[in-house]
Amino acid sequence: MAKICVLLCFILLAASGFANVSGSETKGKKVGIYELKKGDLSVKFTNWGATIISLVFPDKNGKLADVVLGYDTIKEYTNDTSYIGAIVGRVANRIGGAQFTLNGTHYKLVANEGKNILHGGLIGFSDVVWKVQKYQNEGVAPHIVFTYHSADGEEGFPGDLLVTVSYTLLGDKQLSVKMKAKALNKPTPVNLAQHTYWNLGGHNCGDVLSQYIKIFASQITLVDSHLIPTGKFASVKGTPYDFLKPKAVGSRINKLASGYDINYVLDGGAGNKLKPAAVVYDKKSGRVLELSTNAPGLQFYTSNSLKDVKGKGGFVYEPHAALCLETQGFPDAVNHPNFPSTIVNPKKPYKHNMLFKFSTKAPYAS
């Protein structure tokens, strides 16, 4: 049944650019659309960037809506510059100066944001075709597994890396995301992130400034004017970054230059067990997103750079049209010995888990 569904997707969407992607990086590789459905939760993916392209679930009145930003065609995803819905890596976020030294060897990376590197470089994991290793849209845990072999020297990073991302629907409206990476021959930094843009009112409902968020973090990593960490930490208490108690996203956003784009140091640290990271609540629709993770950090980003981006159904996305909740290792960790290490070696694989729980049960009074 799963194979039939994929074949139908290729046939129905070929005319709109959803079947094959032209260009040297994707020559001869097919790109498909894959759906997982369990109860009244439906999620669609593409193997271009292992990307979430839609997530639909009902509001408090039973009305369905797609709560993630995206595009109508795969061609638009291949031209995207905002990492919408994609897995980003080999190293998510920024590395200052696009360089680092590891075990005495200096590595110069491919800069793509001034002198720095962002989300893996000019051609990161969001801009490649992933292999669909498994796809099962039936049973108690529908799932899809994407894999990608990142070559030694890709964007300047050392060593071959085998990356796996698994998306699984669990229980009542839950989405599990498990990211794994294995260094095949050399130590290398790895920091993967899931870069979906969320708007619980619906992707086409406007901005998220009235939606409430709680972030389980007492500190942030301070950054310079180029958003590169200084290596220092700061308490969120008494600042616009304090979401230890739920507040509207836009309640203090005017005190910032353009919006939120900062790494939170999650309470509880790193480890194998999941811990709460954030809760988002849209009072109007009643929709709730609860996120837990085993990662030490969370990049909270209010889509500040989106401007006149034509999305699904022709709707135009503007700044603050959504928020990103990117659980991660700390940015530029490879250049800060006091940050949790992001170095992976053949004997030490990378494991990063996320669990999204969706509901219409108010998590707190707003």
Side-chain angles (χ1 to χ4, degrees):
M1 181 63 72
K3 292 182 179 180
I4 295 175
C5 291
V6 176
L7 180 60
L8 287 173
C9 284
F10 281 130
I11 294 172
L12 293 174
L13 298 169
S16 60
F18 271 108
N20 289 290
V21 181
S22 60
S24 61
E25 292 297 320
T26 57
K27 186 176 181 180
K29 296 181 180 180
K30 292 183 177 180
V31 177
I33 305 298
Y34 306 85
E35 181 178 22
L36 298 181
K37 190 170 184 179
K38 183 177 174 68
D40 48 15
L41 175 65
S42 172
V43 191
K44 290 183 180 179
F45 310 86
T46 175
N47 56 319
W48 176 265
T51 299
I52 295 176
I53 61 174
S54 74
L55 190 146
V56 177
F57 76 104
D59 67 6
K60 60 186 178 182
N61 298 314
K63 182 180 179 181
L64 295 173
D66 184 354
V67 299
V68 304
L69 273 56
Y71 302 105
D72 286 329
T73 68
I74 291 297
K75 184 177 180 179
E76 290 170 293
Y77 280 97
T78 65
N79 293 326
D80 169 66
T81 58
S82 301
Y83 311 95
I84 290 181
I87 294 293
V88 293
R90 177 179 303 198
V91 174
N93 217 300
R94 294 168 176 86
I95 297 178
Q99 58 188 325
F100 65 92
T101 299
L102 178 60
N103 296 336
T105 300
H106 186 75
Y107 295 95
K108 185 64 179 175
L109 310 173
V110 179
N112 64 329
E113 190 185 55
K115 296 180 180 180
N116 307 313
I117 185 172
L118 173 65
H119 292 329
L122 287 174
I123 304 177
F125 292 178
S126 58
D127 286 321
V128 297
V129 180
W130 293 58
K131 178 182 178 181
V132 180
Q133 186 180 62
K134 295 180 182 178
Y135 175 50
Q136 180 178 318
N137 191 21
E138 299 172 335
V140 296
H143 60 276
I144 188 165
V145 180
F146 298 106
T147 61
Y148 177 66
H149 183 173
S150 178
D152 183 16
E154 192 171 300
E155 300 301 295
F157 290 101
D160 290 277
L161 189 74
L162 182 60
V163 187
T164 302
V165 177
S166 304
Y167 295 101
T168 306
L169 300 189
L170 301 169
D172 181 21
K173 292 190 285 294
Q174 297 181 29
L175 172 64
S176 167
V177 184
K178 293 186 176 182
M179 294 168 261
K180 299 179 181 179
K182 183 178 181 180
L184 300 183
N185 41 42
K186 295 179 183 178
T188 184
V190 178
N191 186 20
L192 307 181
Q194 216 298 326
H195 210 292
T196 289
Y197 286 70
W198 302 95
N199 187 327
L200 294 184
H203 80 94
N204 57 354
C205 82
D207 64 57
V208 295
L209 299 181
S210 64
Q211 296 179 22
Y212 278 68
I213 187 168
K214 178 178 182 179
I215 300 176
F216 295 80
S218 303
Q219 292 183 308
I220 56 172
T221 50
L222 294 177
V223 294
D224 64 18
S225 60
H226 299 287
L227 300 180
I228 303 299
T230 63
K232 296 181 179 180
F233 303 91
S235 170
V236 300
K237 188 175 181 180
T239 76
Y241 297 102
D242 186 355
F243 289 99
L244 285 167
K245 293 183 179 180
K247 295 181 179 69
V249 171
S251 59
R252 296 155 300 166
I253 201 168
N254 61 350
K255 296 182 179 180
L256 305 174
S258 59
Y260 292 93
D261 191 5
I262 196 74
N263 175 63
Y264 281 81
V265 180
L266 293 173
D267 295 339
N272 294 321
K273 293 183 178 181
L274 295 178
K275 58 182 177 294
V279 180
V280 184
Y281 174 45
D282 177 39
K283 188 175 181 180
K284 185 176 180 180
S285 69
R287 292 190 182 92
V288 179
L289 181 162
E290 299 176 73
L291 171 62
S292 55
T293 184
N294 67 336
L298 168 73
Q299 189 81 12
F300 176 44
Y301 175 56
T302 48
S303 55
N304 313 321
S305 298
L306 288 183
K307 185 177 180 181
D308 301 331
V309 176
K310 184 179 179 182
K312 299 172 188 175
F315 189 82
V316 178
Y317 303 136
E318 301 290 357
H320 312 143
L323 54 86
C324 297
L325 302 168
E326 307 159 58
T327 61
Q328 60 182 3
F330 295 172
D332 199 32
V334 73
N335 289 314
H336 297 282
N338 60 319
F339 285 2
S341 176
T342 55
I343 302 301
V344 172
N345 61 59
K347 294 183 179 180
K348 181 185 176 184
Y350 171 91
K351 295 181 180 179
H352 176 188
N353 299 333
M354 308 173 76
L355 181 65
F356 295 92
K357 296 181 180 180
F358 305 98
S359 71
T360 53
K361 183 179 180 181
Y364 38 68
S366 58

